Amino acid sequence: MVIFHDPHCLDYSSPGHPEQPARIARTAPLLKDRHPAWEWRNPIPADEIKLLRAHSPEHLARIKNAVRDFDADTPAYRDIYQHAVRSAGAAIDAAHAALRGQRAFSLMRPPGHHATRDHAMGFCYFSNVAIAALDALENGAKRVAIWDFDAHHGNGTEAIVAHNSRIAFASIHQFPAYPGTGAKSFANVDNYPVAPYTSRAQHVDVADCALQKLLQFKPDLLLVSAGFDAYSGDPLVQMTLEQEDFAKFGEWLHKAGMPTAAILEGGYSDELPELIDAFLTSWSSE
């Protein structure tokens, strides 16, 4: 397992905001302690050429020169452009590592799957997974699949990759919930809305169906928007998954045996480090 991580991703925060540095600060040492053989690499920040495949020049300028919050959830932190390009770069680097045959995980913040071509929203500034997918298509991949099991709909990823015949996108998410999208499927987009308090077994079955359909697309690369907020103890939604279910998701990736990179999205419970470890451990097991 290769982990892409830059400690500078801890250098911004807002009091009371759910997306806190502690999410990463508590996870990194736990993984290093339990998995001393895993390789840790510093990501290369994404350059504008890569960002502009997914976002408009105006959007880049707004992030770079941010002076007021983008919305109630998405503050204009100092140096947020630098933080966001490092996170996007980690997703790209993880995708490249996967294409070289390594299992790769981006342990970074900010997350990305709510950022659209022109809007920062939902804690997200650049659409990390969409950027990585479009970059992979420019670097040897013919088809890319995206499996988003974050508890919230990946509306930004969807908006950027919709109608791209070389990308298949699937989002399994609570509905209704933020951001209020993702009720319908269309073109290359498969949405799997899951009602609040749906049973674990049913939710896991839906996630499995979504992944199996993506594998039928025969992608050269599978990108995973790995959000851990569908956990029963997460404060932002009403879902029922347990640690063993995230371990099962990792098992599925192991069995799929295809080039895969996972990028951290949400997950706001105190148990996040254990959930990430369960997922990565079962995925990496030999």
Side-chain angles (χ1 to χ4, degrees):
M1 181 67 66
V2 180
I3 311 285
F4 288 92
H5 172 69
D6 185 329
H8 287 299
C9 77
L10 307 178
D11 292 350
Y12 68 94
S13 64
S14 179
H17 198 288
E19 205 288 284
Q20 284 290 322
R23 301 174 65 236
I24 311 291
R26 293 173 56 243
T27 302
L30 181 143
L31 295 179
K32 287 178 178 179
D33 179 60
R34 293 185 183 173
H35 308 280
W38 288 2
E39 182 181 347
W40 290 71
R41 295 185 196 163
N42 258 42
I44 300 166
D47 61 39
E48 288 198 0
I49 292 171
K50 295 178 174 69
L51 298 173
L52 288 169
R53 294 190 187 117
H55 296 286
S56 67
E58 294 78 13
H59 180 70
L60 267 61
R62 280 192 293 272
I63 305 300
K64 197 177 285 186
N65 304 307
V67 289
R68 60 175 61 88
D69 293 350
F70 296 94
D71 62 24
D73 297 318
T74 316
Y77 295 110
R78 183 180 177 185
D79 298 326
I80 191 57
Y81 183 85
Q82 284 73 26
H83 294 300
V85 296
R86 281 194 290 264
S87 195
I92 293 167
D93 289 348
H96 284 215
L99 288 169
R100 293 191 298 268
Q102 297 171 300
R103 298 182 182 100
F105 180 63
S106 169
L107 181 65
M108 291 287 287
R109 57 192 288 267
H113 75 154
H114 293 309
T116 66
R117 177 174 168 77
D118 285 302
H119 294 285
M121 59 182 285
F123 316 164
C124 303
Y125 301 87
F126 293 135
S127 191
N128 302 328
V129 168
I131 291 165
L134 295 171
D135 182 75
L137 293 176
E138 294 289 330
N139 287 280
K142 292 184 173 59
R143 288 183 301 280
V144 176
I146 301 170
W147 186 46
D148 185 338
F149 62 72
D150 186 278
H152 300 91
H153 179 232
N155 64 298
T157 310
E158 175 184 289
I160 292 165
V161 308
H163 304 289
N164 186 327
S165 62
R166 298 173 67 193
I167 297 176
F169 173 69
S171 176
I172 307 99
H173 49 269
Q174 180 173 307
F175 186 87
Y178 180 89
T181 52
K184 304 288 186 191
S185 300
F186 61 95
N188 62 325
V189 170
D190 282 313
N191 281 313
Y192 298 85
V194 176
Y197 304 109
T198 294
S199 73
R200 286 175 64 193
Q202 189 177 341
H203 188 152
V204 168
D205 281 348
V206 170
D208 190 16
C209 288
L211 179 59
Q212 295 310 316
K213 186 170 181 186
L214 289 176
L215 296 179
Q216 289 167 14
F217 182 63
K218 300 200 180 311
D220 304 296
L221 172 67
L222 174 63
L223 295 176
V224 181
S225 269
F228 296 85
D229 39 5
Y231 173 60
S232 64
D234 198 274
L236 299 192
V237 289
Q238 298 80 43
M239 302 191 99
T240 59
L241 296 188
E242 298 296 343
Q243 183 173 316
E244 301 79 38
D245 300 314
F246 294 107
K248 191 170 287 187
F249 292 175
E251 260 174 61
W252 295 344
L253 297 183
H254 182 78
K255 288 176 183 169
M258 72 162 44
T260 303
I263 290 83
L264 179 64
E265 300 282 5
Y268 308 100
S269 72
D270 290 343
E271 286 75 29
L272 179 65
E274 294 290 348
L275 303 178
I276 292 174
D277 183 46
F279 170 67
L280 295 179
T281 299
S282 59
W283 176 20
S284 68
S285 62
E286 296 301 336

